[in-house]
Amino acid sequence: MSRERFIELMTPALTRFSQDLKSVLRIVEDPEVDDKSRVAAAGALLHVISSSGAIPGVRGVLRHLGDVLVIRIVLDGVRERSPDAFRKHSKESLEMFEPLSEELDAMRVYLGDRVSVLEKAVEKLGTLNHQGHHAKACVDDPESSTWLYDAVHEALIDEIDFDDEDVVRELKQVDRILAPLSSRVGR
């Protein structure tokens, strides 16, 4: 049952992934969100556009499933550290924020200890650098912030272009993410 619930929750999350990235951009730009969360959110966006993938060895929609999961972990940190700002953002993007607790629970049940691989990736987000732009600079420096905004929108056009059918088809093979994650547990 945990696999089915995970797929049920991740299907809409992947389908609206491009909208979610725009919501994460708003978090990066929001001075009411604590700096650690803003830097982590900027790092998550750098992670997505750098094509590094949180789940090694998977491509296409399943590669972006790793990105979706990383972003969910980052959002959980925002909720914990900046609850008032989180509530404000959740009202603006209800479809992204409302299922967060259920998505995190389903992820933890389905992945088990493999979730530690994604959590370690999240811990490193603040130190990411892509094309000379650091996550912290994307929060503090207007030029880097503008670059991040443009880079995310370019990725939305060029790379993150999958439809509902792609998502459904790929999620039928979701178990393909388990072995690559298992190989990284404890590293």
Side-chain angles (χ1 to χ4, degrees):
M1 187 62 159
S2 65
R3 179 183 185 273
E4 290 77 21
R5 182 66 177 146
F6 180 74
I7 290 172
E8 177 186 337
L9 289 166
M10 289 302 109
T11 300
L14 276 163
T15 301
R16 68 170 189 275
F17 186 52
S18 60
Q19 289 303 105
D20 288 359
L21 293 178
K22 293 174 186 176
S23 295
V24 174
L25 269 173
R26 287 191 286 279
I27 289 171
V28 171
E29 297 169 348
D30 186 352
E32 293 178 22
V33 175
D34 69 286
D35 286 346
K36 181 177 180 178
S37 294
R38 292 174 67 203
V39 170
L45 293 171
L46 289 174
H47 175 81
V48 170
I49 63 176
S50 71
S51 301
S52 57
I55 303 173
V58 294
R59 303 279 177 256
V61 173
L62 290 180
R63 174 213 161 317
H64 290 294
L65 175 60
D67 297 334
V68 166
L69 297 173
V70 162
I71 287 172
R72 294 306 179 275
I73 296 169
V74 168
L75 291 175
D76 196 33
V78 174
R79 177 170 55 185
E80 181 181 308
R81 290 184 294 272
S82 296
D84 293 338
F86 181 86
R87 277 191 291 280
K88 178 186 79 173
H89 285 278
S90 67
K91 289 177 185 173
E92 295 169 3
S93 300
L94 194 59
E95 62 283 344
M96 177 182 176
F97 291 91
E98 187 174 55
L100 180 62
S101 293
E102 285 184 83
E103 291 169 345
L104 290 166
D105 290 345
M107 173 186 70
R108 288 182 187 355
V109 169
Y110 177 64
L111 297 179
D113 64 346
R114 297 174 193 95
V115 121
S116 65
V117 175
L118 301 172
E119 291 169 339
K120 286 180 184 173
V122 169
E123 289 172 11
K124 297 176 185 174
L125 292 176
T127 63
L128 282 186
N129 171 12
H130 181 64
Q131 297 182 355
H133 297 275
H134 296 272
K136 185 161 177 33
C138 291
V139 170
D140 296 336
D141 175 50
E143 185 177 316
S144 289
S145 179
T146 299
W147 173 86
L148 180 64
Y149 180 89
D150 292 342
V152 167
H153 281 85
E154 183 177 317
L156 292 174
I157 294 166
D158 295 343
E159 299 169 29
I160 303 169
D161 184 25
F162 38 83
D163 61 24
D164 296 354
E165 291 176 15
D166 293 337
V167 170
V168 170
R169 182 179 53 254
E170 290 288 318
L171 282 177
K172 287 179 182 176
Q173 303 172 41
V174 72
D175 294 335
R176 289 184 16 216
I177 71 172
L178 298 177
L181 287 172
S182 292
S183 72
R184 297 268 173 115
V185 172
R187 283 189 186 179

